[in-house]
Amino acid sequence: IDCSPQRLEGRLSLALSLTVHLYLLLGMTDWNDLPVYGIDKELRAKQDAKYDPKAEGEARQWVEAVTGERIHGSFHEGMRDGILLCKVINAIRPGSIRNVNAMKQPFFQRENISKYLEACKGLGLPPHDIFNPDDLYDGKNMILVIQNIFSLARQAQSMGFRGPSLGPKLSEANRRQFTDEQLRQAAAAPTFISQGSHGKATQAGQFDTSRNIVKTQAPATDVPTRQTMGSYGGATQSGQFDHSRDIVKTQTGGASGSVPSRQTMGSYGGATQSGQFDRSREIIKGPKQV
């Protein structure tokens, strides 16, 4: 095996070239921070869509107004070394950062950013407004960097900073004191739960009365209601019973000359009682001959 320095250098160069091509084929970034691919590209596109150039311009103007220095180049390039951020902190609270490195090496620039972030925590900024040094130095999340600057400006106003302002003022606590009488009245007042879900509803509507039996009172004229009239419109109680099979007793007329009914006349029309007996076998006795 040839282990000469020239041979080893050639093999090392070949391995390095294959590694770079493999990173590019897999959709990853190379060491020179070339454009990303794959899922990293999608994440970067979503992050860029949320970026607000107007907010960046407002943060840029505020930093320039507080420090009195102009930001050269883009916002990321001008803030990358962390020097202006340290000057902003010292303008709000003098002496917070005593040693600011002006060297161009990445180590010293990252150190300036770290000192700035520690000073922000000391001023009371919430944790969700604190970014990572790589977010600014590598430009990975400039949205969070701008958010941090807005949060620092609000906190400075609440501390009594007399310099330029940025964004809305930080809300302050507004404590109220109530007397014992007011507390008792509030405790006795009905709540919205007891009033129902309808606006200003009372407890009268909390029960279902749709199936209650309503008892009506008859008027003075004694007019029958539909309940007593049956299911037919205008019907009376006289038609609620079946009289088709009742036995009807008829009454004869006067004492003399009574009119026979059909029951006394038999089943034949106009028949009398004389035909109601069988006389076909009776023995007829005729008159005696002289």
Side-chain angles (χ1 to χ4, degrees), residues 45 67 85 93 103 116-117 119 137 147 162 179-180 228:
T67 60
L85 293 177
R93 178 179 287 180
M103 298 183 180
Y116 164 78
L117 295 175
Y137 188 82
Q147 178 180 332
R162 301 296 182 182
T179 61
D180 295 339
T228 58

Side-chain angles (χ1 to χ4, degrees), residues 37-109:
Y37 301 92
I39 189 172
D40 293 334
K41 183 179 180 180
E42 295 179 2
L43 294 176
R44 178 63 64 84
K46 291 182 178 179
Q47 184 176 355
D48 294 341
K50 298 179 181 179
Y51 197 79
D52 188 2
K54 182 180 179 181
E56 176 189 329
E58 293 177 356
R60 184 187 189 116
Q61 294 177 3
W62 184 77
V63 172
E64 292 177 348
V66 172
T67 60
E69 298 183 14
R70 183 175 179 81
I71 299 177
H72 300 282
S74 64
F75 186 72
H76 170 239
E77 295 174 352
M79 305 292 292
R80 184 180 183 183
D81 55 6
I83 296 177
L84 289 179
L85 293 177
C86 293
K87 292 182 178 181
V88 169
I89 289 292
N90 288 331
I92 297 174
R93 178 179 287 180
S96 298
I97 302 176
R98 297 181 180 180
N99 185 16
V100 180
N101 294 314
M103 298 183 180
K104 300 298 182 182
Q105 287 80 0
F107 173 78
F108 296 107
Q109 293 179 352

Side-chain angles (χ1 to χ4, degrees), residues 282-288:
E282 291 183 356
I283 299 174
I284 303 175
K285 296 179 179 182
K288 296 180 177 180

